[in-house]
Amino acid sequence: MLPQLHGRKGPKYKALAEAYADMIDNGEIKAGTKLPSQRILSYQLGVTVGTVTRAYQELSLLGKTLSVVGSGTYVKETLSADSYYHPLDSQQGIDLSLCRPLIVSQQQHLHNALQQMLGQPQAQSAILDYFSADGLCGHSDTLRQWLNQRWHSKLTPERVQWTYGGQHGLSVILQALTRSGDTVLTEGLCYGEFIHSCAQLERRIQPVAIDDQGLVAEDLLLQCQRHRPRLLYLTPNVQNPTAVQLSAQRRLQIIDICRRFDVLIIEDGVMYCPPEQRQLPLASIAPDITVYVGSFSKYFAGGVRVGYLVLPANLRVPLLKALRSTCMHVSPILIDLICRWLCSGAMEEVDNHIAMELRARYRILTQHLERPADHVIQGFNYWLTLPPQHQAEQVTKQLYELGVRVRSGQQFCVGGYGQVNAIRLSLTGPKTRDELRAGLEIVRSCVR
Ligand SMILES: Cc1ncc(COP(=O)(O)O)c(C=O)c1O
């Protein structure tokens, strides 16, 4: 079947490429078909071989064909942009289970950063290279300056390290600083992937009691005496899943106990905390015994996969060794994007937008379900305690059947911590406020 050129404007090679592209798009030519040789086609159409060569190059640039050296030009299997960028495991319904940052202006900031990069050949060449795990001077400086401003600190270069996000940071810490059989203490209800990482690496995980002020210091003391743990993992700013914040008094008690028992604190600061509720990290109060795990996943975009550690300088060597073994070094391309957003003010702008949208979403929660207690941090997750006549596992299943996904509280229980009758609702799972309203209405119908 020959492409028809008449009626098409512009240079002949473009007209030929467009004619072929249309035939491919509307299914007249199927994926895998070999296009005619350039010489034969030029003869059949009465155009020069050069015109066909340029047309084939254009088709290849459009992503429609693939040239195989010595064999010819073949039509590629193509998906529409919609299907190409469709998640493989996507599910129907309303998602109140995924704790993702709200997408506000991030796409515009990505566009701006890429455009800025286009005019910077030095940056382009640098970020394509291999490095040691330390990375690039400018990237490290940018991160330090940003942290110093937020924490009112003076971090030295050896105290910061990039990672591929919070989960990677935690995994590197477990590998570097613990051995098989070591005990790690955690809050009784804990971020699930940390529990899985400990299980996978054969670290024993031991729960410590929590209440509405966070980790209970008396129980920490007891568990330290009993288990002689190596690490304490905790989320002082916003607890995942309960959204409780560790009180000022408990912070000091915990640091004191950890010093007495020579326990290293792993402070997870990944979860989004609204600006007015943020507290200075334990890492700025007890920098010698705390490794801080930070990430831009919840503060900007989960897909960027960039985070960082703030560590005591004496732990740099083992931590970098473990990091190298997992990934050599973190992609400077991704870090460069983050640094551009840190410098341009994009990160702060997104932070403020997220905080504003969250306030609106908490108003919806109050209207449709219940008013959050005063001690709850109004971040991404809401911990809904159920009345005894409703069992969390059953409610979770029932909601699933009604097209609403939530997490049952039991998923967050660290072995032996006991029963909880609650579900975790992620207020940022739904992309729109209307979807959130609809989801919360269904939740209400099941639990009231
Ligand atoms: C408490 C906590 N820490 C760490 C992570 C992982 O962060 P990242 O997505 O940056 O790997 C999560 C993700 O949900 C989390 O909730």
Side-chain angles (χ1 to χ4, degrees):
M1 204 184 321
L2 278 182
Q4 297 301 317
L5 303 190
H6 57 256
R8 290 189 185 269
K9 298 203 176 87
K12 276 206 184 111
Y13 82 92
K14 272 227 181 260
L16 177 55
E18 281 167 15
Y20 260 135
D22 287 349
M23 290 165 85
I24 294 167
D25 287 346
N26 63 31
E28 284 173 71
I29 308 182
K30 299 268 176 275
T33 305
K34 183 178 176 181
L35 296 189
S37 82
Q38 298 183 13
R39 199 166 296 280
I40 291 176
L41 188 63
S42 73
Y43 174 76
Q44 289 173 323
L45 293 177
V47 298
T48 65
V49 175
T51 298
V52 179
T53 307
R54 285 191 73 184
Y56 278 17
Q57 280 167 353
E58 185 78 5
L59 278 170
S60 165
L61 281 176
L62 290 171
K64 305 283 179 197
T65 58
L66 191 73
S67 297
V68 180
V69 179
S71 175
T73 300
Y74 294 84
V75 175
K76 257 181 30 182
E77 192 87 54
T78 50
L79 291 172
S80 66
D82 259 4
S83 5
Y84 193 93
Y85 291 104
H86 195 71
L88 272 170
D89 69 343
S90 72
Q91 291 185 51
Q92 297 290 324
I94 299 174
D95 192 353
L96 292 176
S97 68
L98 186 63
C99 163
R100 59 152 78 89
L102 294 156
I103 295 297
V104 279
S105 49
Q106 292 90 325
Q107 198 170 333
Q108 183 60 46
H109 291 305
L110 174 64
H111 177 96
N112 296 348
L114 292 174
Q115 197 136 48
Q116 196 183 48
M117 219 190 267
L118 277 179
Q120 297 174 344
Q122 195 176 5
Q124 292 161 17
S125 122
I127 61 180
L128 284 171
D129 209 353
Y130 264 129
F131 291 102
S132 74
D134 298 295
L136 292 166
C137 296
H139 288 165
S140 170
D141 264 10
T142 302
L143 178 61
R144 269 190 317 120
Q145 280 179 37
W146 182 73
L147 284 168
N148 282 339
Q149 220 174 29
R150 298 188 116 206
W151 292 10
H152 316 297
S153 58
K154 286 200 173 104
L155 297 171
T156 48
E158 65 279 11
R159 294 209 41 220
V160 295
Q161 178 57 43
W162 296 100
T163 65
Y164 274 116
Q167 180 60 31
H168 180 226
L170 291 171
S171 169
V172 164
I173 290 170
L174 284 175
Q175 288 181 51
L177 307 179
T178 59
R179 300 214 187 119
S180 177
D182 277 357
T183 296
V184 176
L185 297 182
T186 70
E187 290 143 335
L189 295 168
C190 174
Y191 159 58
E193 289 306 326
F194 185 76
I195 305 178
H196 296 151
S197 296
C198 286
Q200 200 160 32
L201 293 169
E202 298 176 337
R203 283 19 170 194
R204 293 184 328 129
I205 185 163
Q206 200 60 43
V208 181
I210 49 176
D211 61 17
D212 61 13
Q213 285 187 64
L215 199 82
V216 177
E218 292 74 21
D219 196 44
L220 174 64
L221 179 64
L222 198 69
Q223 302 304 334
C224 284
Q225 285 163 342
R226 272 196 196 145
H227 298 284
R228 299 283 153 179
R230 175 82 191 94
L231 306 178
L232 165 67
Y233 166 75
L234 83 170
T235 49
N237 244 0
V238 196
Q239 216 274 325
N240 183 6
T242 61
V244 159
Q245 187 170 69
L246 188 63
S247 70
Q249 191 195 13
R250 296 262 178 100
R251 283 167 194 252
L252 299 179
Q253 290 172 329
I254 288 169
I255 289 171
D256 184 46
I257 296 169
C258 287
R259 281 200 194 290
R260 273 168 56 198
F261 287 87
D262 198 18
V263 173
L264 192 69
I265 300 172
I266 308 305
E267 177 178 22
D268 183 328
V270 171
M271 288 303 294
Y272 182 85
C273 182
E276 64 281 5
Q277 291 172 302
R278 275 173 216 159
Q279 302 294 330
L280 275 183
L282 299 183
S284 70
I285 308 170
D288 53 323
I289 58 161
T290 309
V291 182
Y292 182 90
V293 181
S295 169
F296 296 100
S297 300
K298 312 285 187 197
Y299 282 83
F300 197 88
V304 183
R305 311 304 312 137
V306 174
Y308 55 92
L309 299 177
V310 179
L311 43 115
N314 64 326
L315 295 181
R316 184 164 187 84
V317 171
L319 283 167
L320 254 66
K321 222 163 129 183
L323 185 124
R324 273 202 306 275
S325 82
T326 61
C327 66
M328 303 276 283
H329 64 88
V330 178
S331 162
I333 301 179
L334 301 180
I335 298 175
D336 204 65
L337 285 174
I338 291 286
C339 288
R340 283 169 198 273
W341 294 325
L342 291 177
C343 294
S344 70
M347 198 64 75
E348 214 174 312
E349 188 194 302
V350 167
D351 188 357
N352 291 332
H353 275 165
I354 292 179
M356 211 160 64
E357 176 63 22
L358 266 181
R359 282 196 287 277
R361 291 191 177 217
Y362 272 86
R363 280 196 294 276
I364 293 173
L365 176 81
T366 305
Q367 287 157 6
H368 290 258
L369 199 62
E370 66 180 27
R371 191 189 162 76
D374 288 343
H375 71 270
V376 165
I377 296 294
Q378 305 200 348
F380 292 177
N381 295 324
Y382 186 68
W383 184 244
L384 180 67
T385 304
L386 301 179
Q389 68 272 28
H390 295 292
Q391 286 306 301
E393 287 294 314
Q394 271 165 8
V395 169
T396 307
K397 270 195 205 128
Q398 194 187 352
L399 284 169
Y400 186 80
E401 278 153 21
L402 293 169
V404 178
R405 295 192 295 286
V406 301
R407 294 208 193 243
S408 159
Q410 210 57 38
Q411 290 180 10
F412 301 93
C413 270
V414 178
Y417 188 60
Q419 293 292 316
V420 287
N421 195 27
I423 55 177
R424 195 194 76 174
L425 306 174
S426 169
L427 303 191
T428 60
K431 296 232 162 98
T432 64
R433 292 183 197 175
D434 278 345
E435 206 179 309
L436 175 65
R437 279 189 195 97
L440 292 178
E441 267 310 309
I442 298 174
V443 172
R444 182 164 72 167
S445 71
C446 291
V447 301
R448 291 287 180 264

